[in-house]
Amino acid sequence: MKKIIAIITALMLVVCCFAACGKTTDNGENNDTEATAKTFKVGICNYVDDASLNQIVANIKSQLELIGKEKNVTFDIKEDNCNADANVLSQIIANFIADDVDLMVGIATPVAMAMQSATTDIPVVFAAVSDPLSVGLVDSLEAPGANITGTSDYLDTTAIMNLILAADEKTETVGLLYDAGQDSSTTAIAQAKEFLDSKGIKYIEKTGTNVNEISLAAQALIDAGVKSVFTPSDNTVMTAELSIYEMFANAGVKHFAGADSFALNGAFCGYGVDYANLGVESAEMVAGILIDGIEPATMPVRTFDNGTATVNTDVCAVMGLDYDIVAQAFGPYCTQVKPIETAESF
């Protein structure tokens, strides 16, 4: 009898073992799948610490986490920031390559260009490159043609010029504040000059390469008597915005810029793409390449509607302006007008 009981017990253990090994989830997938889930290494390099670019990085990471859960894969993200230092950027990219990442994400034009130069084998997804064609990152927006593709925050400069005139139809002079070394500003500034020339409006250019120089340039525009200033989606000025917005507001100067993050940091008006959504779409492109096997060369660059004007209500109050009246004036030139209060980050 003891031998019979021992045999029965052994058989039950074997059956339980097979049942446990073959246990499936509610959707019918074997649990072994979870244990062997595919892991992808992704290296993300941000160009500089500012509200727009940080927002992109945050949304890329959060969206990849969601996609990972949905697709049962893991994204091992290695994140770094070169703080606009070319030497640091080169080292970061070298580290990504040494770590054998499956894909690199370059936030802003300088990072994307450095990654493109560093490898022809590792896929690269760029984010927030204003004009990928003019800087030679892609052959065309529809068919990039190499190991690189991504998202563009191309700016509708004419729309911002129309907002400047909507705010003050008697505008005689516009200040142009930017970093001449930023590729993201080149096309937009040229377009602004062309527009202003066509309207017979004068412009004064002031540039800088760091926070101190941008602050001096802003003061020079104030001293010159301009009442409206235009800045494209320029990362150098974005970094300096928290240092200059009070200067402009107290002097009655309306600062119009190419992203809502400028308005968040104190500019009178930011107009451009939704950078949170741009981050999400960039993550979707990463997933398409790594999970679905889509070649970057054939994955079209994604562009977005520049339809939202974000107006800083704190600055309106300092300048004695009624937000509702401003929003009404901007309405015909935007798909949406939104209020925002000054803060360091979203």
Side-chain angles (χ1 to χ4, degrees):
M1 180 62 71
K2 288 182 179 180
K3 289 183 178 180
I4 293 174
I5 293 173
I7 292 171
I8 293 174
T9 301
L11 289 172
M12 290 178 65
L13 287 172
V14 170
V15 171
C16 289
C17 179
F18 277 112
C21 292
K23 185 179 179 181
T24 59
T25 59
D26 291 340
N27 59 12
E29 295 179 351
N30 193 293
N31 272 349
D32 289 345
T33 304
E34 293 185 9
T36 59
K38 178 70 175 178
T39 296
F40 297 105
K41 291 183 181 180
V42 177
I44 301 176
C45 182
N46 196 354
Y47 178 61
V48 72
D49 184 19
D50 75 37
S52 290
L53 304 188
N54 293 346
Q55 191 179 24
I56 294 170
V57 172
N59 280 275
I60 289 175
K61 292 167 64 179
S62 61
Q63 185 66 15
L64 286 179
E65 184 177 357
L66 288 175
I67 294 171
K69 292 177 180 177
E70 292 173 358
K71 302 291 187 177
N72 193 35
V73 301
T74 299
F75 293 101
D76 178 11
I77 297 175
K78 302 177 184 300
E79 178 190 347
D80 216 327
N81 189 320
C82 69
N83 289 308
D85 187 314
N87 293 326
V88 174
L89 173 57
S90 296
Q91 186 58 56
I92 291 171
I93 294 173
N95 290 342
F96 286 163
I97 295 173
D99 288 340
D100 197 26
V101 297
D102 296 297
L103 182 146
M104 292 191 289
V105 178
I107 313 297
T109 303
V111 181
M113 294 178 69
M115 288 180 173
Q116 180 194 44
S117 299
T119 179
T120 57
D121 299 320
I122 301 173
V124 175
V125 171
F126 58 76
V129 171
S130 299
D131 196 350
L133 274 173
S134 71
V135 298
L137 282 173
V138 297
D139 294 337
S140 73
L141 298 182
E142 295 75 22
N147 64 316
I148 187 167
T149 187
T151 55
S152 172
D153 59 345
Y154 177 80
L155 183 64
D156 184 350
T157 307
T158 298
I160 298 186
M161 295 296 109
N162 284 330
L163 293 180
I164 290 175
L165 297 182
D168 182 3
E169 61 183 14
K170 296 181 180 180
T171 298
E172 296 181 353
T173 306
V174 173
L176 303 177
L177 178 64
Y178 63 103
D179 179 352
Q182 287 280 323
D183 293 304
S184 60
S185 294
T186 304
T187 300
I189 290 296
Q191 291 172 341
K193 291 178 180 179
E194 183 179 356
F195 178 95
L196 295 170
D197 285 338
S198 71
K199 299 292 183 181
I201 298 173
K202 300 176 183 178
Y203 52 82
I204 299 175
E205 294 180 77
K206 295 295 177 182
T207 65
T209 61
N210 54 49
V211 172
N212 289 336
E213 290 180 4
I214 292 297
S215 296
L216 291 172
Q219 186 60 55
L221 289 173
I222 293 171
D223 294 341
V226 301
K227 292 301 178 184
S228 296
V229 171
F230 166 64
T231 294
S233 50
D234 186 299
N235 294 311
T236 302
V237 181
M238 177 66 247
T239 303
E241 189 65 43
L242 285 166
S243 300
I244 65 175
Y245 82 93
E246 289 180 313
M247 297 164 53
F248 279 150
N250 291 330
V253 177
K254 302 181 186 72
H255 191 192
F256 294 80
D260 58 354
S261 51
F262 283 89
L264 173 76
N265 284 176
F268 169 68
C269 177
Y271 180 87
V273 307
D274 180 341
Y275 280 95
N277 181 53
L278 185 146
V280 169
E281 292 298 321
S282 299
E284 293 289 345
M285 298 181 81
V286 170
I289 293 168
L290 294 179
I291 298 176
D292 301 326
I294 303 173
E295 291 293 331
T298 62
M299 181 181 283
V301 173
R302 298 191 187 183
T303 57
F304 306 88
D305 175 31
N306 293 295
T308 300
T310 305
V311 178
N312 188 303
T313 54
D314 293 332
V315 172
C316 282
V318 172
M319 299 178 68
L321 300 173
D322 187 319
Y323 166 78
D324 292 331
I325 294 176
V326 171
Q328 184 177 7
F330 286 176
Y333 305 99
C334 306
T335 56
Q336 184 181 14
V337 182
K338 298 192 305 184
I340 202 167
E341 296 178 350
T342 305
E344 291 189 14
S345 61
F346 288 98

